[in-house]
Amino acid sequence: MPKRKLVAVICTIIFVAVGAGCMSIQNPGGISTITNLQIPTEKYEILKNQEVEGCSSNTGLLGIFWFGNAGTIAAYEDALAQVSGANTLLNAKVDTKTTSILGLYFSSTTVVRGVPARIKYK
């Protein structure tokens, strides 16, 4: 392989590795808020006195190919599915776990935790 081609290949590999390592994993929880929404206790019923946890994940290869859904709504629905009749979470918390290996492999997992409850509608 001529020297010029070899230099071009090496520069391309370095560019892809460095560029992919700087790519952003699109975290669904990019904005943090604290909400003090108080619901009267007669308007809901706690279904389980323990927190439940729901997860959703996605995986990326080379920053180009992405598989899965790491959205907050998917994790929220996964948490609600663990308790029959639950339609909301009280004291909900959202965490995001991310992994990047040399800019070649990416993983993002959204975790939603909260106490399952059912809002009573009239």
Side-chain angles (χ1 to χ4, degrees), residues 52-113:
V52 293
E53 180 177 290
C55 299
S56 60
S57 300
N58 71 357
T59 302
L61 300 173
L62 303 174
I64 300 171
F65 305 103
W66 292 90
F67 311 95
N69 175 6
T72 305
I73 293 173
Y76 177 79
E77 290 172 349
D78 183 48
L80 290 179
Q82 296 179 27
V83 178
S84 178
N87 61 9
T88 193
L89 294 176
L90 303 177
N91 298 326
K93 300 171 217 63
V94 179
D95 292 319
T96 303
K97 301 174 187 176
T98 57
T99 303
S100 177
I101 301 174
L102 298 174
L104 303 174
Y105 170 83
F106 302 94
S107 174
S108 180
T109 300
T110 301
V111 181
V112 174
R113 292 180 190 88

Side-chain angles (χ1 to χ4, degrees), residues 37-57:
L37 176 65
Q38 296 184 4
I39 302 171
T41 55
E42 65 272 2
K43 300 279 185 180
Y44 65 87
E45 171 188 3
I46 294 177
L47 300 176
K48 185 177 180 183
N49 282 328
Q50 274 183 290
E51 281 191 344
V52 293
E53 180 177 290
C55 299
S56 60
S57 300

Side-chain angles (χ1 to χ4, degrees), residues 17-29:
V18 171
C22 295
M23 288 183 177
S24 170
I25 296 176
Q26 298 299 321
N27 294 329

